[in-house]
Amino acid sequence: MPLPAATADPSVRALRMRLPMSPQAPRLAREPVCAVVDPDRYALGDGETCLSEVVAAAVRHSAAPDIPLMLIGEADGSFFAAVEDTARAVPMATGTADGWGFDRTRSGKWVWFHVRHPRSDAAEGQVAA
């Protein structure tokens, strides 16, 4: 899976956790997002929507006792997440992510996505005065 580049930047935050296999898992997955992405700098809507979708799919299709989750907030405010499940089926694309994919494992797959910070697109087009 294409993890964000390692960096010594202290503004890059990462979190790994396991969610219970329950209907509450998508909500529980969204709660720690603010620990890796500053909600004052970034509108979390697309990232939280994608996260809810991949966690809900894991709850529906996985036979594991829990759901491993990885969250990474990048220095530019972008958001990366990966969820592991035991289902062998190929996942469907999440329409709100800037990038997504999956990587097969011996026990199933990791489904990942990346959502860019909406302001980083605008900042790339600006020229310093």
Side-chain angles (χ1 to χ4, degrees):
M1 108 183 74
L3 293 173
T7 178
D9 187 334
S11 65
V12 174
R13 301 176 186 148
L15 176 68
R16 291 180 75 116
M17 62 187 295
R18 292 183 174 274
L19 300 167
M21 188 59 74
S22 78
Q24 289 77 32
R27 178 185 54 78
L28 295 171
R30 290 188 308 269
E31 288 175 359
V33 169
C34 291
V36 298
V37 177
D38 182 353
D40 293 331
R41 292 184 52 223
Y42 178 60
L44 298 174
D46 289 346
E48 288 181 321
T49 299
C50 291
L51 185 58
S52 292
E53 289 176 10
V54 296
V55 171
V59 169
R60 278 192 307 275
H61 303 295
S62 186
D66 56 19
I67 303 166
L69 169 67
M70 180 182 352
L71 302 172
I72 300 173
E74 298 178 61
D76 68 355
S78 296
F79 176 66
F80 175 89
V83 174
E84 187 177 24
D85 69 41
T86 61
R88 301 299 296 168
V90 174
M92 293 178 57
T94 62
T96 56
D98 294 304
W100 79 278
F102 68 97
D103 295 302
R104 293 211 184 268
T105 65
R106 289 183 183 164
S107 61
K109 65 185 172 300
W110 279 93
V111 179
W112 56 266
F113 67 87
H114 183 255
V115 177
R116 290 172 42 121
H117 186 298
R119 292 185 210 140
S120 67
D121 292 337
E124 287 174 8
Q126 295 177 353
V127 177

